[in-house]
Amino acid sequence: MSGVSVTKDAEDAAPAANDLVVLSNVNKHFGALHVLQDIDLTIARGEVVVVIGPSGSGKSTLCRTINRLETVDSGAISIDGKPLPQEGKELARLRADVGMVFQSFNLFAHKTVLENVMLGQIKVRKADKKAAEEKARTLLDRVGVGVQADKYPAQLSGGQQQRVAIARALAMDPKVMLFDEPTSALDPEMINEVLEVMQQLARDGMTMIVVTHEMGFARSAANRVVFMADGKIVEEAAPEQFFSNPRSDRAKDFLSKILHH
Amino acid sequence: MNVLLDNFPAFRDGFIGTVSITAVSSLIALVLGVVVAGFRVSPVPPLRYFGTAWVTLMRNTPLTLLFLIFFFVVPEILFPGMSPFVLGSLALGFYTSSFVCEAVRSGINTVPLGQAEAARSIGMTFAQTLQIVVLPQATRTVIPPLSSIFIALTKNSAIAGAFSNAELFGWQKLMSDKGYDIVPVFIWVAIGYLIITFTISGLFRLLERRMEVAR
Ligand SMILES: Nc1ncnc2c1ncn2[C@@H]1O[C@H](COP(=O)(O)OP(=O)(O)OP(=O)(O)O)[C@@H](O)[C@H]1O
Ligand SMILES: [Mg+2]
């Protein structure tokens, strides 16, 4: 494709200023494994999209390509109209606009909870210390772990750690939040406290891409469910429709398996 | 007569010489080793290649050969007029930096990958990620091997004596030339080295304990 036509495509897409995350024709391989195959996905501002699919289907990889923790082999990804730049300062700046919550929390183990939430504000956003602390405390209160501020991550329960991780991401004022199975490393009794925080976020209008098998969350908070299998997006539908009446056999098969448990 | 008391000024100079060359080359090795370790894990290929080349070259060249290069080749073609002390410290510092680099790199590898990914995902640059998140968590594992590396450096500093530096081991040669009995001379030299190496391992043990308390 020539450079001219690429520019033109971008201009054509420009009227849809409501599109926040756009993946077009994205392909990625891990060696011989074709993990992402011709992925086209557009997420509008304020939209909550749940990504669901069997293990190994490429959900995590998809999530990680959006803030370029994984590079792609071909295709284009843009966030708020800007294509993802190469590794470097500019990419770092763009990543700050994309919050990411990991399955295993990944809180900075050598920093207190408060420091975890302040660090990005100070080092990346160059906020002054006092403002950063104030904001961090507000966010920690909002996710319900305000009293734990001075503890180290290892002293918190999984559910608390994950809520701190959400606060840490929110402290950067991200345009979009990515969640990669945020509750699947948690004991059952802690899942809800995290889901509630996410639900509140969705109600507040945050744009979210959530990899999860929590159907309750998908039904109550998602605008759209994206079903992935073998590196492809097999089906996209509204949650109600997807769960009660999936079109593809892959989705039917998958749902029958997870509904049994 | 007593070899130490009779020749104390020379012994003192030798001791101070060993301490200074050890201190200066340790500093060079530490700074350079950490920087090169950063290169080796960097996302920029040329930096990675440089790091690998540096370690391969410095670690596999015999130290004496490195000294010969620094004393006879470097002044000829690069920087004439450097003092033996500077040349010796550089040779020893460069050599040791390759060991420091590998110790630091193995420390970096003990820090879970998720830590660096979390740092990058909030927008930290590679350098910030390394400095603020990864290296502080690697420090604890790196301290014990660093202690051994700096003790080895202290002993390696004896080679500098052969290149017109006043240092502890050189005093031994001076004394045996003067005809002193070799056994007490060696004992005093050994004691001199022990004082330095014990200080180093003590300092590192202190550091190690500090880190345990800190978390
Ligand atoms: N760094 C990597 N190197 C090689 N293969 C990888 C790597 N990361 C993932 N894969 C492979 O790519 C495929 C997709 O992985 P991915 O983690 O995206 O799946 P997933 O849908 O998130 O699965 P799960 O539900 O188990 O988390 C898997 O087969 C996995 O083994
Ligand atoms: Mg996954």
Side-chain angles (χ1 to χ4, degrees):
Chain A
M1 213 188 238
S2 76
V4 176
S5 70
V6 169
T7 322
K8 191 166 168 295
D9 284 348
E11 274 167 9
D12 284 349
N18 215 21
D19 293 347
L20 190 56
V21 180
V22 180
L23 288 87
S24 48
N25 207 16
V26 167
N27 280 281
K28 172 158 186 84
H29 296 80
F30 280 123
L33 183 70
H34 199 169
V35 261
L36 296 180
Q37 307 182 18
D38 302 322
I39 300 287
D40 284 304
L41 183 64
T42 301
I43 286 125
R45 219 174 284 277
E47 198 180 12
V48 177
V49 171
V50 160
V51 180
I52 197 167
S55 181
S57 55
K59 307 177 299 291
S60 297
T61 310
L62 177 75
C63 235
R64 292 160 57 84
T65 55
I66 294 175
N67 68 353
R68 215 172 174 281
L69 283 179
E70 299 286 357
T71 55
V72 298
D73 300 336
S74 68
I77 301 175
S78 66
I79 290 170
D80 210 1
K82 283 187 228 96
L84 287 188
Q86 290 296 302
E87 196 73 39
K89 283 233 163 59
E90 207 187 328
L91 177 65
R93 207 168 310 132
L94 194 130
R95 275 202 189 113
D97 291 340
V98 181
M100 176 125 189
V101 175
F102 302 85
Q103 183 174 353
S104 48
F105 331 131
N106 295 344
L107 292 177
F108 304 131
H110 62 309
K111 300 278 182 192
T112 64
V113 163
L114 185 68
E115 288 167 340
N116 262 275
V117 185
M118 289 170 64
L119 204 58
Q121 300 182 62
I122 293 171
K123 301 292 179 183
V124 178
R125 298 291 195 212
K126 313 290 178 201
D128 75 61
K129 218 169 161 188
K130 201 150 161 275
E133 178 172 343
E134 209 164 294
K135 185 170 180 184
R137 289 199 186 274
T138 309
L139 283 167
L140 288 172
D141 284 338
R142 189 165 139 200
V143 300
V145 285
V147 289
Q148 319 283 355
D150 297 318
K151 291 193 181 161
Y152 283 93
Q155 297 168 293
L156 268 56
S157 75
Q160 292 170 331
Q161 289 190 53
Q162 194 59 299
R163 285 181 283 152
V164 174
I166 294 174
R168 175 177 68 181
L170 289 176
M172 310 305 292
D173 296 319
K175 292 174 178 164
V176 51
M177 290 275 287
L178 309 172
F179 295 82
D180 186 7
E181 305 207 30
T183 57
S184 52
L186 297 177
D187 292 337
E189 73 268 23
M190 295 171 187
I191 291 179
N192 276 333
E193 61 191 46
V194 172
L195 289 180
E196 270 161 29
V197 168
M198 291 168 60
Q199 245 142 3
Q200 186 57 49
L201 256 184
R203 278 196 293 273
D204 294 345
M206 176 60 76
T207 310
M208 295 162 69
I209 301 172
V210 185
V211 177
T212 184
H213 292 165
E214 294 294 334
M215 277 187 294
F217 175 82
R219 281 174 190 271
S220 64
N223 303 103
R224 186 160 39 128
V225 172
V226 170
F227 175 71
M228 276 186 84
D230 301 327
K232 295 194 199 84
I233 293 180
V234 178
E235 190 168 341
E236 289 184 62
E240 269 326 306
Q241 194 200 331
F242 178 80
F243 290 116
S244 54
N245 194 14
R247 275 166 296 162
S248 62
D249 291 341
R250 285 303 304 259
K252 280 177 195 158
D253 183 47
F254 175 75
L255 285 175
S256 76
K257 276 179 192 145
I258 61 168
L259 287 175
H260 273 137
H261 296 294
Chain B
M1 279 306 311
N2 189 312
V3 57
L4 184 69
L5 292 182
D6 291 352
N7 301 280
F8 192 73
F11 181 84
R12 187 194 56 206
D13 291 349
F15 183 79
I16 290 172
T18 294
V19 169
S20 340
I21 200 165
T22 299
V24 172
S25 41
S26 292
L27 195 69
I28 295 173
L30 189 63
V31 172
L32 218 55
V34 172
V35 170
V36 176
F39 284 2
R40 291 207 71 176
V41 297
S42 123
V44 185
L47 291 183
R48 278 207 303 275
Y49 300 147
F50 174 84
T52 312
W54 179 269
V55 169
T56 310
L57 214 66
M58 293 300 162
R59 196 168 56 164
N60 295 313
T61 310
L63 183 54
T64 315
L65 185 60
L66 212 56
F67 266 95
L68 285 170
I69 293 170
F70 266 82
F71 276 82
F72 299 111
V73 182
V74 171
E76 287 297 316
I77 52 173
L78 291 170
F79 310 103
M82 276 205 276
S83 73
F85 179 78
V86 173
L87 288 170
S89 301
L90 283 177
L92 193 52
F94 280 19
Y95 173 80
T96 311
S97 74
S98 64
F99 295 91
V100 172
C101 166
E102 290 305 89
V104 170
R105 196 165 65 101
S106 74
I108 288 173
N109 288 336
T110 64
V111 179
L113 198 59
Q115 294 286 311
E117 286 188 343
R120 287 160 69 203
S121 77
I122 58 170
M124 286 192 191
T125 60
F126 172 76
Q128 285 179 320
T129 300
L130 206 58
Q131 249 174 56
I132 302 168
V133 174
V134 178
L135 285 178
Q137 294 188 64
T139 313
R140 258 173 79 178
T141 28
V142 173
I143 283 178
L146 276 190
S147 177
S148 313
I149 290 170
F150 288 128
I151 287 170
L153 178 147
T154 309
K155 296 184 283 186
N156 283 336
S157 72
I159 298 178
F163 294 86
S164 45
N165 271 298
E167 54 78 56
L168 208 46
F169 202 70
W171 181 74
Q172 161 271 136
K173 190 166 181 311
L174 210 67
M175 291 305 105
S176 53
D177 287 352
K178 279 194 182 175
Y180 282 98
D181 182 9
I182 205 80
V183 175
V185 171
F186 274 155
I187 289 175
W188 286 119
V189 169
I191 288 173
Y193 277 111
L194 281 178
I195 291 172
I196 301 172
T197 52
F198 272 33
T199 309
I200 292 175
S201 47
L203 278 176
F204 273 91
R205 210 164 312 139
L206 210 69
L207 259 177
E208 214 173 322
R209 207 161 315 143
R210 266 272 186 80
M211 305 235 130
E212 266 158 32
V213 176
R215 267 258 291 124

